[in-house]
Amino acid sequence: MRFAPAPTGYLHLGSARTALFNYLAARSVGGVFLLRVEDTDLERSRPELVDVVYAALEWLGLDWDETPVRQSARLDAHQEAVEDLLARGLAYWSDPVPEGDRERTGGRAYDPADRDRNLGPGPGRAVRFRVDPLAFGAESVGWDDAIRGEISFELANIEDFVVRRADGSPTFFIANALDDAHMRVTDVIRGEDLINVTPKYLLLRSALGVASEDLRFAHLPLIVNEQRKKLSKRRDDVSLLDYRDRGFLSEAMVNYLALLGWGPPDGEEVRFDPLGEFASMFRIEDVGESPAGFDVRKLRHVNAEHIRHLGVAHFAERSRPFFAAVPWAGRYRDETFALVAGDVQTRVETLAEVPEYVDFLFLEDPEIDQASWDAAFAGDAPAWLAATLDELEGADWNSAELYSRTMALAEATGVSRKKFQAPLRVAVTGRRVGPPLFESMVVLGREESFRRIAGALDRVRHAEAAER
RNA sequence: GCCCCCAUCGUCCAGCGGCCUAGGACGCCUCCCUUUCAAGGAGGUAACACGGGUUCGAAUCCCGUUGGGGGUGCCA
């Protein structure tokens, strides 16, 4: 099995899923997982572009066997094959037909009459493969797709396609067919969007004398967006590594990607060792045939599950890079975060959300969210806060004591615990949502907590004064 | 236009002729728990596109219609 991406500067989610399914298929049957970089196009062979592919696969943990094949390194073989086709009359030189002149060719970009003109090389002239029932020995090409069953195409519907461009470079069709044979690929697993190049691939193999009988094809369903369209670079977030930067764990990505078009037979969707566990139960025939909608909500859920499964120390460690990206990065302390990491872990769906959860522990004067303030400080709330301040003056500074004293006070005041803690929370953290309050206050310390409570009380007085 | 593929809850996955009163997951809603929010627990909402066959029996097989998608490049 092989994964054969064209380096485009990022690894597309769909490509990542294709790579994953190739990997799982290979590992499930003890096969070999190969990599081939399809850099036929000069543009695409720049090292940076290629390295991105490797980096992305490594991040996912899809380790490949053997040294990756660079398609550009096989140029001579491709050229030779083109010469061979030419020599045997299976391909011919063809002139492009300008846009305005296509009526005579039935809308085609080439003129089928060139087939018999015996043209030689010339400016702008490409080599086309002659799709010929006589040469192929049949009127149609087809194969038994592992996922979709029998698929076939009438030769009459297949155009003579370019195998060598006017600039002399061989095209994807020839390189692909040839290199798969060269690498002794037995299973071609790729996206559904390549179904219609498969006949050309088969035709070429036949013309080149490469047997295809033992070749298995599996065309995976496309991954589509909310609009049911193929994920596009323009409208969708398609770069795999961007998900890493947005706080998704690679295990979660692997886990979720595997669920697009497939599902484990036992129905247990969330796996903490998805690569290992799925490999043992994966069967390419079980992959579905209808397009799979990419659902970020579910990805987030899977990610959250994986985050919760991490040991607290690992969670803290993997969160660290996300603190570096924040404006107050300089104030961040591992030791401080470690004290609340466990409480944050169950509350986030991505690692990118971590810093905003605990920023108040690091900022000197965290910004107070106005909506939170308005909600928390309505009515008698300022009085409760003042009372809480008094009550906590003599408290031992541990969460159990802070909790029991505050709650007892709520009880005595006849206010629900939820409402009663609101002003305290907003005073201390700036928001009405966050990690457990008393634990946070312990981390902040008595002095700082009091300072913030006093600050909030001041703010109330100012507001009142302003009203008068 | 032409070629090809697809069609079960909003989404993902089960279902491969009777076990389906269609199952699980995400989301959403309700309740419980609760120091906020989460997490956790208990419920609920919601689908076989349509029409013909085949069959004792169809979500499951066949045909058609409709709908969606992909391709139609001297990109891969």
Side-chain angles (χ1 to χ4, degrees), chain A residues 258-292:
Chain A
L259 264 21
L260 291 176
W262 181 79
D266 62 7
E268 285 297 320
E269 294 187 326
V270 176
R271 303 287 181 140
F272 298 120
D273 174 25
L275 243 27
E277 294 180 64
F278 286 162
S280 67
M281 53 180 91
F282 187 82
R283 297 193 326 162
I284 195 70
E285 314 84 87
D286 292 341
V287 174
E289 44 221 294
S290 45

mmCIF file of all heavy atoms in Angstrom, chain A residues 258-292:
data_model
loop_
_atom_site.group_PDB
_atom_site.id
_atom_site.type_symbol
_atom_site.label_atom_id
_atom_site.label_comp_id
_atom_site.label_asym_id
_atom_site.label_seq_id
_atom_site.Cartn_x
_atom_site.Cartn_y
_atom_site.Cartn_z
ATOM 1 N N ALA A 258 -10.378 8.503 11.465
ATOM 2 C CA ALA A 258 -10.703 7.103 11.182
ATOM 3 C C ALA A 258 -12.214 6.891 11.164
ATOM 4 O O ALA A 258 -12.726 5.970 10.521
ATOM 5 C CB ALA A 258 -10.065 6.195 12.227
ATOM 6 N N LEU A 259 -12.913 7.769 11.848
ATOM 7 C CA LEU A 259 -14.367 7.635 11.950
ATOM 8 C C LEU A 259 -15.100 8.210 10.745
ATOM 9 O O LEU A 259 -16.327 8.111 10.653
ATOM 10 C CB LEU A 259 -14.838 8.353 13.219
ATOM 11 C CG LEU A 259 -15.058 7.569 14.523
ATOM 12 C CD1 LEU A 259 -14.323 6.257 14.555
ATOM 13 C CD2 LEU A 259 -14.747 8.412 15.732
ATOM 14 N N LEU A 260 -14.353 8.811 9.857
ATOM 15 C CA LEU A 260 -14.984 9.374 8.663
ATOM 16 C C LEU A 260 -14.971 8.335 7.545
ATOM 17 O O LEU A 260 -13.989 8.173 6.841
ATOM 18 C CB LEU A 260 -14.255 10.641 8.212
ATOM 19 C CG LEU A 260 -14.408 11.837 9.147
ATOM 20 C CD1 LEU A 260 -13.583 13.006 8.664
ATOM 21 C CD2 LEU A 260 -15.874 12.229 9.271
ATOM 22 N N GLY A 261 -16.062 7.644 7.410
ATOM 23 C CA GLY A 261 -16.142 6.626 6.379
ATOM 24 C C GLY A 261 -15.991 5.216 6.934
ATOM 25 O O GLY A 261 -16.152 4.240 6.220
ATOM 26 N N TRP A 262 -15.679 5.157 8.210
ATOM 27 C CA TRP A 262 -15.471 3.849 8.812
ATOM 28 C C TRP A 262 -15.833 3.927 10.287
ATOM 29 O O TRP A 262 -15.933 5.039 10.847
ATOM 30 C CB TRP A 262 -14.010 3.445 8.650
ATOM 31 C CG TRP A 262 -13.660 2.102 9.215
ATOM 32 C CD1 TRP A 262 -13.890 0.884 8.644
ATOM 33 C CD2 TRP A 262 -13.013 1.836 10.479
ATOM 34 N NE1 TRP A 262 -13.428 -0.104 9.462
ATOM 35 C CE2 TRP A 262 -12.889 0.435 10.593
ATOM 36 C CE3 TRP A 262 -12.546 2.641 11.518
ATOM 37 C CZ2 TRP A 262 -12.304 -0.182 11.706
ATOM 38 C CZ3 TRP A 262 -11.966 2.034 12.611
ATOM 39 C CH2 TRP A 262 -11.846 0.624 12.702
ATOM 40 N N GLY A 263 -16.046 2.800 10.906
ATOM 41 C CA GLY A 263 -16.275 2.770 12.336
ATOM 42 C C GLY A 263 -15.827 1.431 12.861
ATOM 43 O O GLY A 263 -15.915 0.437 12.152
ATOM 44 N N PRO A 264 -15.290 1.402 14.076
ATOM 45 C CA PRO A 264 -14.847 0.120 14.621
ATOM 46 C C PRO A 264 -16.055 -0.808 14.789
ATOM 47 O O PRO A 264 -17.136 -0.346 15.154
ATOM 48 C CB PRO A 264 -14.238 0.483 15.971
ATOM 49 C CG PRO A 264 -14.806 1.816 16.310
ATOM 50 C CD PRO A 264 -15.080 2.496 15.016
ATOM 51 N N PRO A 265 -15.876 -2.087 14.490
ATOM 52 C CA PRO A 265 -16.986 -3.036 14.528
ATOM 53 C C PRO A 265 -17.666 -3.095 15.898
ATOM 54 O O PRO A 265 -18.858 -3.345 15.982
ATOM 55 C CB PRO A 265 -16.332 -4.382 14.207
ATOM 56 C CG PRO A 265 -14.947 -4.112 13.800
ATOM 57 C CD PRO A 265 -14.600 -2.715 14.101
ATOM 58 N N ASP A 266 -16.918 -2.862 16.950
ATOM 59 C CA ASP A 266 -17.525 -2.957 18.277
ATOM 60 C C ASP A 266 -18.224 -1.665 18.696
ATOM 61 O O ASP A 266 -18.781 -1.574 19.775
ATOM 62 C CB ASP A 266 -16.479 -3.366 19.315
ATOM 63 C CG ASP A 266 -15.362 -2.328 19.437
ATOM 64 O OD1 ASP A 266 -15.479 -1.241 18.826
ATOM 65 O OD2 ASP A 266 -14.372 -2.607 20.134
ATOM 66 N N GLY A 267 -18.183 -0.664 17.833
ATOM 67 C CA GLY A 267 -18.908 0.567 18.134
ATOM 68 C C GLY A 267 -18.224 1.504 19.109
ATOM 69 O O GLY A 267 -18.721 2.595 19.366
ATOM 70 N N GLU A 268 -17.096 1.082 19.666
ATOM 71 C CA GLU A 268 -16.376 1.954 20.601
ATOM 72 C C GLU A 268 -15.593 2.991 19.815
ATOM 73 O O GLU A 268 -14.499 2.724 19.333
ATOM 74 C CB GLU A 268 -15.428 1.125 21.472
ATOM 75 C CG GLU A 268 -16.117 0.334 22.556
ATOM 76 C CD GLU A 268 -16.822 1.220 23.578
ATOM 77 O OE1 GLU A 268 -16.259 2.283 23.948
ATOM 78 O OE2 GLU A 268 -17.951 0.882 23.987
ATOM 79 N N GLU A 269 -16.135 4.171 19.709
ATOM 80 C CA GLU A 269 -15.540 5.161 18.818
ATOM 81 C C GLU A 269 -14.281 5.819 19.348
ATOM 82 O O GLU A 269 -13.365 6.108 18.609
ATOM 83 C CB GLU A 269 -16.577 6.241 18.497
ATOM 84 C CG GLU A 269 -17.746 5.706 17.696
ATOM 85 C CD GLU A 269 -18.685 6.799 17.247
ATOM 86 O OE1 GLU A 269 -18.842 7.785 17.999
ATOM 87 O OE2 GLU A 269 -19.256 6.672 16.157
ATOM 88 N N VAL A 270 -14.274 6.094 20.646
ATOM 89 C CA VAL A 270 -13.119 6.789 21.202
ATOM 90 C C VAL A 270 -12.094 5.778 21.694
ATOM 91 O O VAL A 270 -12.381 4.944 22.537
ATOM 92 C CB VAL A 270 -13.530 7.726 22.348
ATOM 93 C CG1 VAL A 270 -12.302 8.368 22.977
ATOM 94 C CG2 VAL A 270 -14.470 8.804 21.827
ATOM 95 N N ARG A 271 -10.905 5.868 21.115
ATOM 96 C CA ARG A 271 -9.819 4.955 21.464
ATOM 97 C C ARG A 271 -8.592 5.772 21.820
ATOM 98 O O ARG A 271 -8.250 6.686 21.091
ATOM 99 C CB ARG A 271 -9.460 4.073 20.270
ATOM 100 C CG ARG A 271 -10.617 3.278 19.726
ATOM 101 C CD ARG A 271 -10.950 2.166 20.687
ATOM 102 N NE ARG A 271 -12.047 1.386 20.158
ATOM 103 C CZ ARG A 271 -12.123 0.051 20.232
ATOM 104 N NH1 ARG A 271 -11.166 -0.625 20.809
ATOM 105 N NH2 ARG A 271 -13.158 -0.572 19.748
ATOM 106 N N PHE A 272 -7.939 5.352 22.888
ATOM 107 C CA PHE A 272 -6.794 6.144 23.303
ATOM 108 C C PHE A 272 -5.516 5.726 22.610
ATOM 109 O O PHE A 272 -4.514 6.414 22.652
ATOM 110 C CB PHE A 272 -6.684 6.132 24.820
ATOM 111 C CG PHE A 272 -7.897 6.761 25.453
ATOM 112 C CD1 PHE A 272 -8.720 6.053 26.319
ATOM 113 C CD2 PHE A 272 -8.248 8.068 25.107
ATOM 114 C CE1 PHE A 272 -9.859 6.644 26.846
ATOM 115 C CE2 PHE A 272 -9.391 8.669 25.639
ATOM 116 C CZ PHE A 272 -10.202 7.949 26.505
ATOM 117 N N ASP A 273 -5.560 4.582 21.954
ATOM 118 C CA ASP A 273 -4.451 4.194 21.082
ATOM 119 C C ASP A 273 -5.047 3.862 19.724
ATOM 120 O O ASP A 273 -5.069 2.702 19.306
ATOM 121 C CB ASP A 273 -3.710 2.979 21.665
ATOM 122 C CG ASP A 273 -2.643 2.449 20.705
ATOM 123 O OD1 ASP A 273 -2.146 3.242 19.857
ATOM 124 O OD2 ASP A 273 -2.320 1.256 20.778
ATOM 125 N N PRO A 274 -5.583 4.869 19.057
ATOM 126 C CA PRO A 274 -6.343 4.605 17.833
ATOM 127 C C PRO A 274 -5.547 3.877 16.757
ATOM 128 O O PRO A 274 -6.067 2.965 16.117
ATOM 129 C CB PRO A 274 -6.768 5.997 17.355
ATOM 130 C CG PRO A 274 -5.888 6.961 18.055
ATOM 131 C CD PRO A 274 -5.481 6.304 19.339
ATOM 132 N N LEU A 275 -4.302 4.256 16.588
ATOM 133 C CA LEU A 275 -3.497 3.629 15.551
ATOM 134 C C LEU A 275 -3.367 2.129 15.790
ATOM 135 O O LEU A 275 -3.595 1.318 14.896
ATOM 136 C CB LEU A 275 -2.104 4.285 15.523
ATOM 137 C CG LEU A 275 -1.664 5.041 14.263
ATOM 138 C CD1 LEU A 275 -2.811 5.595 13.460
ATOM 139 C CD2 LEU A 275 -0.659 6.103 14.626
ATOM 140 N N GLY A 276 -3.020 1.797 17.014
ATOM 141 C CA GLY A 276 -2.836 0.387 17.338
ATOM 142 C C GLY A 276 -4.138 -0.383 17.339
ATOM 143 O O GLY A 276 -4.258 -1.440 16.725
ATOM 144 N N GLU A 277 -5.127 0.164 18.015
ATOM 145 C CA GLU A 277 -6.382 -0.558 18.155
ATOM 146 C C GLU A 277 -7.132 -0.682 16.830
ATOM 147 O O GLU A 277 -7.679 -1.734 16.515
ATOM 148 C CB GLU A 277 -7.272 0.124 19.186
ATOM 149 C CG GLU A 277 -6.697 0.071 20.595
ATOM 150 C CD GLU A 277 -7.603 0.759 21.604
ATOM 151 O OE1 GLU A 277 -8.721 0.271 21.799
ATOM 152 O OE2 GLU A 277 -7.191 1.799 22.158
ATOM 153 N N PHE A 278 -7.170 0.393 16.085
ATOM 154 C CA PHE A 278 -7.890 0.343 14.817
ATOM 155 C C PHE A 278 -7.189 -0.571 13.812
ATOM 156 O O PHE A 278 -7.840 -1.245 13.017
ATOM 157 C CB PHE A 278 -8.066 1.739 14.225
ATOM 158 C CG PHE A 278 -9.107 2.561 14.948
ATOM 159 C CD1 PHE A 278 -9.150 3.944 14.814
ATOM 160 C CD2 PHE A 278 -10.061 1.951 15.754
ATOM 161 C CE1 PHE A 278 -10.118 4.709 15.470
ATOM 162 C CE2 PHE A 278 -11.045 2.700 16.421
ATOM 163 C CZ PHE A 278 -11.065 4.083 16.274
ATOM 164 N N ALA A 279 -5.870 -0.558 13.845
ATOM 165 C CA ALA A 279 -5.135 -1.392 12.892
ATOM 166 C C ALA A 279 -5.528 -2.850 13.037
ATOM 167 O O ALA A 279 -5.597 -3.584 12.057
ATOM 168 C CB ALA A 279 -3.633 -1.226 13.091
ATOM 169 N N SER A 280 -5.824 -3.252 14.236
ATOM 170 C CA SER A 280 -6.133 -4.662 14.444
ATOM 171 C C SER A 280 -7.539 -5.028 13.980
ATOM 172 O O SER A 280 -7.864 -6.190 13.818
ATOM 173 C CB SER A 280 -5.963 -5.022 15.920
ATOM 174 O OG SER A 280 -6.939 -4.352 16.692
ATOM 175 N N MET A 281 -8.390 -4.064 13.773
ATOM 176 C CA MET A 281 -9.762 -4.398 13.382
ATOM 177 C C MET A 281 -10.196 -3.776 12.053
ATOM 178 O O MET A 281 -11.320 -3.936 11.624
ATOM 179 C CB MET A 281 -10.729 -3.970 14.493
ATOM 180 C CG MET A 281 -10.580 -2.528 14.925
ATOM 181 S SD MET A 281 -11.744 -2.088 16.248
ATOM 182 C CE MET A 281 -10.782 -2.451 17.706
ATOM 183 N N PHE A 282 -9.260 -3.096 11.403
ATOM 184 C CA PHE A 282 -9.605 -2.404 10.173
ATOM 185 C C PHE A 282 -9.702 -3.353 8.983
ATOM 186 O O PHE A 282 -8.889 -4.254 8.819
ATOM 187 C CB PHE A 282 -8.548 -1.341 9.884
ATOM 188 C CG PHE A 282 -8.890 -0.450 8.712
ATOM 189 C CD1 PHE A 282 -9.748 0.623 8.882
ATOM 190 C CD2 PHE A 282 -8.353 -0.691 7.454
ATOM 191 C CE1 PHE A 282 -10.070 1.444 7.802
ATOM 192 C CE2 PHE A 282 -8.673 0.131 6.378
ATOM 193 C CZ PHE A 282 -9.536 1.203 6.555
ATOM 194 N N ARG A 283 -10.727 -3.146 8.186
ATOM 195 C CA ARG A 283 -10.826 -3.883 6.922
ATOM 196 C C ARG A 283 -11.295 -2.886 5.880
ATOM 197 O O ARG A 283 -12.339 -2.254 6.043
ATOM 198 C CB ARG A 283 -11.836 -5.024 7.024
ATOM 199 C CG ARG A 283 -11.436 -6.093 8.048
ATOM 200 C CD ARG A 283 -12.282 -7.337 7.882
ATOM 201 N NE ARG A 283 -13.637 -6.970 7.457
ATOM 202 C CZ ARG A 283 -14.484 -7.821 6.903
ATOM 203 N NH1 ARG A 283 -14.120 -9.066 6.688
ATOM 204 N NH2 ARG A 283 -15.696 -7.420 6.551
ATOM 205 N N ILE A 284 -10.550 -2.802 4.813
ATOM 206 C CA ILE A 284 -10.856 -1.791 3.807
ATOM 207 C C ILE A 284 -12.261 -1.978 3.223
ATOM 208 O O ILE A 284 -12.939 -1.014 2.862
ATOM 209 C CB ILE A 284 -9.759 -1.775 2.705
ATOM 210 C CG1 ILE A 284 -9.867 -0.500 1.863
ATOM 211 C CG2 ILE A 284 -9.844 -2.995 1.811
ATOM 212 C CD1 ILE A 284 -9.476 0.768 2.576
ATOM 213 N N GLU A 285 -12.719 -3.213 3.144
ATOM 214 C CA GLU A 285 -14.064 -3.471 2.598
ATOM 215 C C GLU A 285 -15.156 -2.852 3.459
ATOM 216 O O GLU A 285 -16.281 -2.655 3.005
ATOM 217 C CB GLU A 285 -14.384 -4.969 2.524
ATOM 218 C CG GLU A 285 -13.331 -5.873 1.969
ATOM 219 C CD GLU A 285 -12.318 -6.260 3.030
ATOM 220 O OE1 GLU A 285 -12.534 -7.245 3.763
ATOM 221 O OE2 GLU A 285 -11.291 -5.558 3.109
ATOM 222 N N ASP A 286 -14.835 -2.612 4.720
ATOM 223 C CA ASP A 286 -15.866 -2.070 5.616
ATOM 224 C C ASP A 286 -16.053 -0.565 5.475
ATOM 225 O O ASP A 286 -16.941 0.016 6.099
ATOM 226 C CB ASP A 286 -15.501 -2.380 7.076
ATOM 227 C CG ASP A 286 -15.591 -3.868 7.367
ATOM 228 O OD1 ASP A 286 -16.263 -4.589 6.600
ATOM 229 O OD2 ASP A 286 -14.984 -4.317 8.360
ATOM 230 N N VAL A 287 -15.193 0.055 4.711
ATOM 231 C CA VAL A 287 -15.317 1.500 4.554
ATOM 232 C C VAL A 287 -16.603 1.812 3.784
ATOM 233 O O VAL A 287 -16.956 1.119 2.835
ATOM 234 C CB VAL A 287 -14.094 2.060 3.802
ATOM 235 C CG1 VAL A 287 -14.280 3.539 3.494
ATOM 236 C CG2 VAL A 287 -12.829 1.840 4.621
ATOM 237 N N GLY A 288 -17.291 2.846 4.224
ATOM 238 C CA GLY A 288 -18.551 3.223 3.601
ATOM 239 C C GLY A 288 -18.339 3.855 2.244
ATOM 240 O O GLY A 288 -17.220 4.206 1.883
ATOM 241 N N GLU A 289 -19.402 3.988 1.487
ATOM 242 C CA GLU A 289 -19.234 4.546 0.147
ATOM 243 C C GLU A 289 -19.837 5.926 -0.026
ATOM 244 O O GLU A 289 -19.683 6.550 -1.070
ATOM 245 C CB GLU A 289 -19.782 3.580 -0.906
ATOM 246 C CG GLU A 289 -21.123 2.970 -0.566
ATOM 247 C CD GLU A 289 -21.185 1.484 -0.937
ATOM 248 O OE1 GLU A 289 -21.127 1.197 -2.133
ATOM 249 O OE2 GLU A 289 -21.295 0.638 -0.023
ATOM 250 N N SER A 290 -20.517 6.415 0.958
ATOM 251 C CA SER A 290 -21.082 7.755 0.794
ATOM 252 C C SER A 290 -20.218 8.795 1.495
ATOM 253 O O SER A 290 -19.541 8.503 2.473
ATOM 254 C CB SER A 290 -22.513 7.794 1.304
ATOM 255 O OG SER A 290 -22.602 7.151 2.541
ATOM 256 N N PRO A 291 -20.246 10.008 0.970
ATOM 257 C CA PRO A 291 -19.394 11.078 1.481
ATOM 258 C C PRO A 291 -19.576 11.279 2.983
ATOM 259 O O PRO A 291 -20.684 11.153 3.508
ATOM 260 C CB PRO A 291 -19.883 12.312 0.728
ATOM 261 C CG PRO A 291 -20.538 11.796 -0.485
ATOM 262 C CD PRO A 291 -21.090 10.455 -0.132
ATOM 263 N N ALA A 292 -18.492 11.594 3.665
ATOM 264 C CA ALA A 292 -18.539 11.792 5.110
ATOM 265 C C ALA A 292 -18.421 13.278 5.435
ATOM 266 O O ALA A 292 -17.482 13.932 5.010
ATOM 267 C CB ALA A 292 -17.409 11.016 5.771
#
